[in-house]
Amino acid sequence: MAETVALVSDAGMPWSLTPASVWSARPSTPAAPSTSFPGQPRFRPRSCSADFRARRFTFEGFLPRKGIERSAVLADIAASSRTSVFYESPHRVAKSLTDLVSTCGPDRLVAVAREITKLHQEVWRGRLIDGANYFADAAAKGEFVVVVDAAPADVAELTDDDLAAALQIHLNDGLSVRDATAEVVSHYGVAKRRVYTIATELRS
């Protein structure tokens, strides 16, 4: 006798982030076809009401926790011409905002929301530096969605070669890696970590 089984969740689509992924990832076959009817993902309403440019965005899922992979994703967010959206856990949201201050600069706009589409939905909006300070002291609870504004047009268009050329001028003038980095960061308004990395490579 043919049977139909429905897997229903009120805590997000049972996909790659829950134990139900074992079931939902199974291949569909003629004998046992499967289909999905997803609800509204929680990043979509957040990205549509972030109060800044969000017509084009990149969804990052959860950020890598550490290492080179995390640094690379943060650098991509800092230079992206698109709004960046990612999920974060309550015990890591403050650290991620602090790391974004280092890569994107303190004044980049951010929206931080928790429990989107649920009863206790809350949204915080403002500058990255203010968000990092706020969530360092706040008792963060729930599932978070973080939306980071796109890089300013002039920053997004700057390549590593552009920054290296600017740094080389200051290094040739006798400035240290630290001072040359500070000069370029001040002039172009780009992330300090990105510039410092290029400067150390030039010096070595």
Side-chain angles (χ1 to χ4, degrees), residues 48-107:
C48 289
S49 58
D51 295 343
F52 44 78
R53 303 183 302 275
R55 288 194 303 172
R56 302 177 68 204
F57 67 89
T58 299
F59 176 58
E60 301 288 352
F62 284 95
L63 298 184
R65 295 191 181 186
K66 58 184 179 180
I68 296 176
E69 186 179 0
R70 180 179 177 87
S71 298
V73 171
L74 291 172
D76 286 344
I77 291 175
S80 179
S81 60
R82 301 184 179 191
T83 296
S84 298
V85 184
F86 63 90
Y87 293 157
E88 193 53 278
S89 64
H91 59 279
R92 289 199 300 269
V93 67
K95 182 181 186 307
S96 288
L97 292 173
T98 299
D99 289 347
L100 285 167
V101 170
S102 298
T103 55
C104 299
D107 296 325

Side-chain angles (χ1 to χ4, degrees), residues 15 17 23 71 73 75 88 104 124 141 151 157-158 169 176 189:
W15 186 45
L17 304 178
W23 181 87
S71 298
V73 171
E88 193 53 278
C104 299
W124 184 96
K141 296 181 180 179
E157 293 170 1
L158 282 172
I169 294 173
S176 65

Side-chain angles (χ1 to χ4, degrees), residues 1-201:
M1 182 177 65
E3 295 183 349
T4 299
V5 177
L7 178 61
V8 182
S9 170
D10 64 353
M13 183 176 178
W15 186 45
S16 61
L17 304 178
T18 69
S21 62
V22 175
W23 181 87
S24 60
R26 58 174 291 279
S28 179
T29 66
S34 64
T35 188
S36 64
F37 297 92
Q40 180 76 291
R42 63 183 181 270
F43 74 79
R44 169 54 69 180
R46 176 81 309 275
S47 65
C48 289
S49 58
D51 295 343
F52 44 78
R53 303 183 302 275
R55 288 194 303 172
R56 302 177 68 204
F57 67 89
T58 299
F59 176 58
E60 301 288 352
F62 284 95
L63 298 184
R65 295 191 181 186
K66 58 184 179 180
I68 296 176
E69 186 179 0
R70 180 179 177 87
S71 298
V73 171
L74 291 172
D76 286 344
I77 291 175
S80 179
S81 60
R82 301 184 179 191
T83 296
S84 298
V85 184
F86 63 90
Y87 293 157
E88 193 53 278
S89 64
H91 59 279
R92 289 199 300 269
V93 67
K95 182 181 186 307
S96 288
L97 292 173
T98 299
D99 289 347
L100 285 167
V101 170
S102 298
T103 55
C104 299
D107 296 325
R108 186 78 64 88
L109 295 178
V110 64
V112 184
R114 76 177 189 94
E115 300 294 276
I116 288 300
T117 74
K118 298 180 182 179
L119 179 62
H120 300 292
Q121 173 176 307
E122 292 182 356
V123 181
W124 184 96
R125 301 178 181 88
R127 301 186 308 156
L128 271 172
I129 186 64
D130 296 327
N133 292 334
Y134 175 80
F135 285 98
D137 298 330
K141 296 181 180 179
E143 299 175 322
F144 284 82
V145 180
V146 181
V147 184
V148 184
D149 196 12
D154 54 344
V155 173
E157 293 170 1
L158 282 172
T159 67
D160 287 354
D161 288 340
D162 295 329
L163 297 175
L167 283 164
Q168 193 65 63
I169 294 173
H170 294 298
L171 293 172
N172 291 343
D173 288 340
L175 269 63
S176 65
V177 167
R178 178 180 178 181
D179 290 341
T181 297
E183 288 291 333
V184 172
V185 168
S186 175
H187 182 75
Y188 290 104
V190 293
K192 180 179 179 180
R193 185 176 298 181
R194 178 188 177 193
V195 179
Y196 184 80
T197 299
I198 298 171
T200 54
E201 291 175 352

